[in-house]
Structures are given as C-alpha cells and as structure tokens.
Amino acid sequence: MTRADIDEILKLVDGSDFDELKLEMGDLKLELRRRGAGAPATPAATPAATPAAPTPTAAAARADRVPVVAPVVASGGGSEIPAPLLGTFWHAPRPGAAPFVKPGDRVEADTVIGIIEVMKLMNSVPAGVAGTVLEIVAPNGDLVEHGQTLIRIQPV
C-alpha cells in the first residue's frame, strides 16, 4: 500500500458519513477514525510484505477471486444482503456490461451480485443465500457503508 492509496481511502471516508473504517486485505490491517466532526482521519497502517498496488485492469480481472461475504439479514421483504465493507458498489463487472443480477433472477449462495471497489481493488460480493432477487437497493457506482443493504432476495 502506498501513501497515494491511503490518501484515496481518506478521501472516501471524508466524503462519507462514516466515523470509522477498518480494512483488512491479506496481511495488511488499516484502521481510520475521525477525531470529531470535520477533523481529518488518522491512518494507522501495519503492512507486512506490502504488495504493489494492483492496476485497475489487473484488479478487475481478479474480481471473481476476491469474494467478500457478509451475513444475510432476514426482513419482512425478503433477505437483505448487506455490504461486507465500505467502498463503491458496482452492478456489473465493467462499464457497459450486463449486470451481475437483476430483479427476478434466481441466485445461489455463491452467485456474485456485485463488486465493491476499495482502493482500485475489486471485491466480489456473493449473494450468501439462494433465492430470487427482489430489488437492487444500492445504486450503481454509489459509495456504500459496511452493513448497508445492497439487494433484497426472497429465499427459496
């Protein structure tokens, strides 16, 4: 992880309503916390064997190899699939491509429903439950918070 990567993360946090961010990628652990409203976050990175930052193309190619799972939450309108981490939620693997899922699609627990981009690292998000997609809640390209509902699925 480079200083530029940390600066990009700080911009994401500053542009959000979040007060805290915990990010773990392999051996890297990063925690950011605000000190009051409007104060800059303080990075505390503990990298071990820091890998080079992936290029967007390489990161996109790895999208299916970095699944991030979050617990599925049952609700009255089906099961809510929450964001497992903070980042930008993408409905499709690349601009102009067909979305991973759309309302009415049947999915399995390991079906990828979208990608969350953090520092140019694409993390695929599996459905976590088999069923039918009821609604795509998080807009394409929006910043999502950890635990924010991405989609709703009617379990089978």
Side-chain angles (χ1 to χ4, degrees):
M1 177 176 291
T2 66
R3 177 65 196 189
D5 294 332
I6 293 172
D7 288 344
E8 190 171 332
I9 293 171
L10 290 172
K11 286 179 189 174
L12 281 172
V13 172
D14 281 344
S16 72
D17 295 329
F18 314 121
D19 291 328
E20 182 176 328
L21 169 72
K22 292 181 181 177
L23 175 67
E24 291 187 30
M25 298 178 357
D27 295 334
L28 175 73
K29 294 181 182 180
L30 178 68
E31 277 190 49
L32 302 172
R33 287 191 191 96
R34 290 184 199 264
R35 290 186 188 171
T42 304
T46 55
T50 305
T55 64
T57 303
R62 294 180 3 186
D64 291 340
R65 291 185 272 153
V66 187
V68 180
V69 181
V72 176
V73 179
S75 72
S79 295
E80 297 177 348
I81 311 303
L85 46 85
L86 171 123
T88 304
F89 182 60
W90 298 106
H91 293 186
R94 62 188 171 282
F100 289 104
V101 295
K102 56 188 179 303
D105 284 356
R106 180 164 164 75
V107 296
E108 299 299 325
D110 61 349
T111 301
V112 174
I113 61 160
I115 293 173
I116 294 182
E117 178 183 359
V118 179
M119 298 177 4
K120 300 178 186 170
L121 179 64
M122 306 298 176
N123 302 282
S124 61
V125 180
V129 62
T132 303
V133 176
L134 297 174
E135 178 184 12
I136 309 293
V137 178
N140 188 45
D142 267 19
L143 183 66
V144 294
E145 180 181 353
H146 178 268
Q148 181 179 337
T149 300
L150 300 175
I151 71 170
R152 286 193 177 89
I153 294 176
Q154 183 63 49
V156 289

